Amino acid sequence: MKRKRAMTAAVVVAGAALAVSQGNRGVLSARISDRTVLIVQAEDSGILIVDEESGETAPSQLQIEESILVIGSEETEASEKASGEEGNEEGNNASVTGFAQYDEILQLYLTGLNSAWDASEFDENGLCYLAGYLSSTDELGYFLMDLDGDGTEELLIGQVSEEDVYLGMFYDFYTIKEEEFVQVTASAERGRFYLCMDGTIAYESSSGAFCSSNAFYTFTGTELELTEAVLYDAWEDEENPYFYSTTDEWEDHSTPISQEEASAILNTHDYMEIPYTTLSEVAEELGMAEIVSPLKQQAIEEVEAVRAEAEAIAYQLENDPLSQSELNQLSYEMYQIWDDALNVLWGYLKESLSEEEMTALTKEEIAWITEKESAIAAAGAEFEGGTMQPYVENTTGAELTKERVYVLQEKLS
């Protein structure tokens, strides 16, 4: 918990520094756990850490120099605050987040994970469909932080992972304004949101290997307002594909920039390691604990490792300037990763299921393989004989196999 406190302190202090630099004054708070809140006050004199119990203040280890935030190495201890006290009118002793609406969202996610919802079922229930690719309540978490300094904490839902590919990423973003519960935004496979160290919201999106965007927003009220964006569009200009905009992340090609300039802009936005609290930690408190067998837990962990590896390749395919032959090779590797995972999972199923269940599942699997091969052939037919045909077939096969892996994983007992 000490590391989680230090990370959260850094986020909130950075947010307060941003408020001061913009001429704002007030209080920012972030929930570190269900019983701990850090209060940071932005004043004319700088940033003060406020201990609610004693009312004493101490200067933070933070300086603002030319809009660059420098956070000192000393840890800032957070004050202890019971959930549901002053400043959180929705709170009560039984609440996990202090807000009934936020608790309901956590319960809905827990229901989906415990019931093995697929992506479409999460989407139908108004949640981020990416959760449909997860299988354990250990993989999804929540984080509370007052992102706009209005005294009300926002709720971020995201995947808990040690992989850098997920650094700063969140699935869902909720807020409460004037007693109205609002879903601000949600990530998707080709459009993912991230929390930056300075409180900026980053959005990485792609429409394919030749066109992608990195946009950065400030959160105001219930909306995300664009501050700047870097567009990579090789369809527009293959030789000089980078463009800068402060008005539109996809359509504005009026300001071309070099690759070096694009990299410099992106490097100014550092992503936060969001200290999520896993849903498994609060499932019992919400009355929705899940029991997972050791065999299934082992399979879940192995599939998660595979997913991280495949996601790293997918990121390369969408964002790196690759030749068609490189795209074809990497997409083939991604397909193989998921195919290998499926075969490993099949071995677990043989250990877990009865002979009768395996016989029925084998028939189902044969039918699925036929459908998959037909879908791959249909996808490649549009590019038959062309250099893109292998890429389209590989990515189609990888996606279908990934979906099947998660379906089979839920059949484990």
Side-chain angles (χ1 to χ4, degrees):
M1 184 58 72
K2 190 174 184 180
R3 180 171 179 271
K4 186 177 290 186
R5 288 188 181 184
M7 288 302 300
T8 307
V11 181
V12 183
V13 172
L18 181 64
V20 170
S21 69
Q22 294 176 339
N24 298 321
R25 303 293 176 265
V27 172
L28 294 176
S29 65
R31 184 71 53 78
I32 298 174
S33 71
D34 61 342
R35 294 292 181 268
T36 306
V37 173
L38 176 69
I39 302 296
V40 179
Q41 185 168 327
E43 298 184 347
D44 292 327
S45 59
I47 311 302
L48 298 176
I49 307 300
V50 180
D51 184 327
E52 283 199 310
E53 292 184 359
S54 65
E56 296 178 355
T57 61
S60 71
Q61 302 297 315
L62 183 145
Q63 305 167 6
I64 304 176
E65 300 176 357
E66 298 179 356
S67 300
I68 298 176
L69 304 181
V70 182
I71 299 177
S73 59
E74 295 183 11
E75 291 189 7
T76 303
E77 284 299 323
S79 63
E80 296 297 326
K81 175 184 175 184
S83 175
E85 289 188 1
E86 183 179 353
N88 195 342
E89 297 178 359
E90 297 283 343
N92 56 67
N93 292 333
S95 176
V96 170
T97 65
F99 296 89
Q101 298 97 322
Y102 290 170
D103 281 2
E104 289 172 5
I105 288 296
L106 300 189
Q107 289 173 328
L108 195 55
Y109 267 112
L110 280 165
T111 297
L113 289 170
N114 289 337
S115 303
W117 286 356
D118 60 21
S120 64
E121 288 173 301
F122 275 98
D123 187 53
E124 289 167 3
N125 282 276
L127 305 176
C128 179
Y129 73 85
L130 294 177
Y133 299 128
L134 307 181
S135 302
S136 167
T137 55
D138 288 321
E139 297 177 78
L140 199 66
Y142 75 95
F143 177 57
L144 294 167
M145 179 178 176
D146 185 359
L147 289 170
D148 58 359
D150 70 345
T152 299
E153 294 169 317
E154 277 67 51
L155 171 67
L156 299 181
I157 304 287
Q159 184 175 355
V160 180
S161 173
E162 297 298 325
E163 301 297 328
D164 287 345
V165 69
Y166 302 116
L167 181 68
M169 180 188 166
F170 58 86
Y171 282 2
D172 269 331
F173 178 2
Y174 298 92
T175 190
I176 297 174
K177 292 291 185 288
E178 298 180 355
E179 300 184 357
E180 180 184 3
F181 177 61
V182 180
Q183 182 184 40
V184 179
T185 194
S187 289
E189 285 185 299
R190 288 184 172 270
R192 302 188 177 199
F193 287 94
Y194 299 80
L195 177 63
C196 298
M197 285 287 292
D198 61 359
T200 300
I201 303 298
Y203 182 51
E204 295 183 0
S205 53
S206 172
S207 61
F210 301 102
C211 190
S212 60
S213 171
N214 289 78
F216 303 93
Y217 299 83
T218 55
F219 172 56
T220 304
T222 60
E223 303 291 334
L224 296 179
E225 297 181 357
L226 180 69
T227 57
E228 63 178 348
V230 173
L231 172 64
Y232 173 85
D233 191 348
W235 296 115
E236 177 72 18
D237 190 330
E238 186 174 355
E239 294 184 0
N240 301 289
Y242 292 94
F243 302 89
Y244 179 80
S245 178
T246 58
T247 59
D248 191 294
E249 63 185 273
W250 283 109
E251 301 299 329
D252 186 2
H253 299 89
S254 62
T255 307
I257 57 176
S258 66
Q259 183 175 356
E260 291 74 20
E261 289 173 316
S263 297
I265 293 169
L266 298 182
N267 288 337
T268 64
H269 298 279
D270 295 324
Y271 291 176
M272 273 302 307
E273 181 182 348
I274 303 175
Y276 288 117
T277 298
T278 64
L279 296 191
S280 61
E281 294 179 60
V282 297
E284 185 174 354
E285 196 169 346
L286 291 167
M288 304 184 69
E290 177 190 23
I291 299 177
V292 179
S293 70
L295 181 67
K296 184 173 182 178
Q297 183 60 42
Q298 183 177 347
I300 287 171
E301 292 172 359
E302 292 189 22
V303 170
E304 175 54 29
V306 166
R307 184 187 178 189
E309 186 179 357
E311 287 283 356
I313 294 177
Y315 184 87
Q316 286 183 272
L317 292 173
E318 293 182 1
N319 296 280
D320 291 356
L322 304 172
S323 66
Q324 189 60 57
S325 61
E326 290 173 323
L327 289 170
N328 293 345
Q329 178 60 34
L330 277 175
S331 61
Y332 172 76
E333 292 175 12
M334 183 169 64
Y335 185 10
Q336 282 299 120
I337 286 171
W338 284 113
D339 196 51
D340 291 343
L342 189 146
N343 290 328
V344 170
L345 197 56
W346 194 257
Y348 282 121
L349 287 164
K350 288 181 178 179
E351 295 182 45
S352 175
L353 302 184
S354 67
E355 183 177 347
E356 182 180 350
E357 289 173 323
M358 276 304 299
T359 298
L361 185 58
T362 299
K363 291 180 180 179
E364 179 184 316
E365 190 71 4
I366 292 172
W368 172 80
I369 292 172
T370 301
E371 293 177 2
K372 181 193 70 169
E373 292 177 348
S374 176
I376 291 173
E382 183 178 351
F383 303 91
E384 188 170 0
T387 57
M388 282 191 65
Q389 184 178 2
Y391 172 78
V392 173
E393 291 179 343
N394 291 335
T395 53
T396 300
E399 184 63 29
L400 293 173
T401 306
K402 177 178 73 172
E403 292 175 0
R404 185 61 179 171
V405 163
Y406 286 105
V407 169
L408 293 181
Q409 181 176 274
E410 287 312 306
K411 295 182 181 293
L412 287 169
S413 58

